[in-house]
């Protein structure tokens, strides 16, 4: 209850925080926004509401695109998925996220566009949905060009996502080309896992067409899995047999 001492330290805290902001706090990880909100809280405590409001606005202006995207995603998840009501809330937040940018994280940008597409689909606004699909496709292609690692099937999944977008837009030839690229970039371990699961699902009898597809995946997995992973190659040969 030492109010004078508390006021003195609040004043010093405020000076230190404002100096930190003036010296330039990076926006990465939402650090600048958090500090601006902290200043606003101190101003609230000392009764200077106008300054508190000003710093809250500065905090909002300093937010990263990812933090806004994360907020929209949390709202969608809280209601169990995208619907018309939450779409109307999420769209303005996502549009702000696009303006703030994603610090060259093309993957986050792709995911934000995907949510914008889903939101406009929920509102049955096909024109807007397709507009953002085109933006998502452009960003996906830029991400692929920049170099997506092949581990864990990341690159193959990106090609598959691009193919799905092209199909929705009616670009069937481009979709087929992306599907081919997806097949060429599949990770050997994921192909093996998929083939083994399909073989197990077949039981004791395997039809000719299904068996041919499984054999194709096993052959490709043998080609793509490093030779030093001998246990995996043993699984491939056992499943092939």
């Amino acid at each position: 209850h030492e109010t004078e001492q508390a006021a003195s330290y609040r004043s010093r805290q405020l000076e230190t925080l404002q100096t930190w902001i003036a010296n330039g706090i990076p926006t990465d990880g939402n650090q600048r926004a958090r500090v601006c909100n902290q200043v606003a809280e101190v101003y609230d405590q000392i009764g200077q509401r106008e300054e508190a409001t000003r710093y809250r606005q500065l905090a909002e202006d300093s937010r990263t695109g990812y933090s806004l995207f994360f907020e929209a995603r949390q709202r969608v998840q809280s209601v169990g998925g995208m619907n018309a009501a939450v779409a109307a809330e999420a769209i303005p937040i996502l549009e702000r996220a696009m303006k703030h940018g994603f610090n060259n994280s093309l993957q986050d940008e792709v995911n934000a566009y995907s949510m914008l597409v889903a939101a406009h689909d929920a509102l049955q606004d096909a024109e807007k949905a397709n507009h953002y699909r085109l933006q998502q496709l452009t960003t996906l292609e830029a991400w692929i060009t920049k170099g997506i690692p092949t581990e864990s099937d990341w690159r193959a999944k990106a090609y598959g996502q691009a193919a799905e977008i092209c199909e929705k837009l009616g670009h069937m030839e481009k979709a087929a080309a992306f599907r081919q690229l997806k097949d060429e970039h599949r990770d050997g371990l994921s192909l093996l896992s998929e083939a083994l699961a399909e073989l197990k699902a077949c039981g004791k009898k395997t039809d000719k067409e299904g068996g041919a597809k499984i054999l194709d995946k096993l052959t490709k997995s043998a080609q793509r899995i490093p030779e030093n992973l001998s246990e995996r190659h043993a699984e491939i040969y056992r499943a092939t047999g």
Side-chain angles (χ1 to χ4, degrees), residues 20 88 94 97 122 139 161 169 175 179 182 225:
W20 190 13
L94 291 166
T139 309
Q161 196 175 2
L169 292 169
R179 292 230 176 266
K182 176 188 175 183
I225 292 174

Side-chain angles (χ1 to χ4, degrees), residues 1-12 46:
H1 302 291
E2 294 179 353
T3 54
E4 286 185 17
Q5 284 283 69
S8 171
Y9 283 120
R10 275 200 185 93
S11 179
R12 292 184 196 181
I46 62 177

Side-chain angles (χ1 to χ4, degrees), residues 201-222:
C202 288
K204 293 184 179 180
K205 291 184 179 181
T206 309
D207 66 86
K208 193 171 182 179
E209 185 180 350
K213 287 180 180 177
I214 293 170
L215 279 172
D216 182 57
K217 287 177 183 178
L218 290 168
T219 303
K220 287 174 180 173
S221 65

Side-chain angles (χ1 to χ4, degrees), residues 5 7 9 14 16 25 40-41 80 84 86 100 110 112 131 138 140 145 150 152 160 165-166 194 201 215 234-235:
Q5 284 283 69
Y9 283 120
L14 200 54
T16 306
I25 302 172
E41 286 171 14
V86 79
H100 284 240
V110 165
H131 166 75
T138 301
L140 256 177
T145 301
T150 56
S152 303
I165 295 167
C166 287
E194 199 174 285
L215 279 172
E235 285 182 274

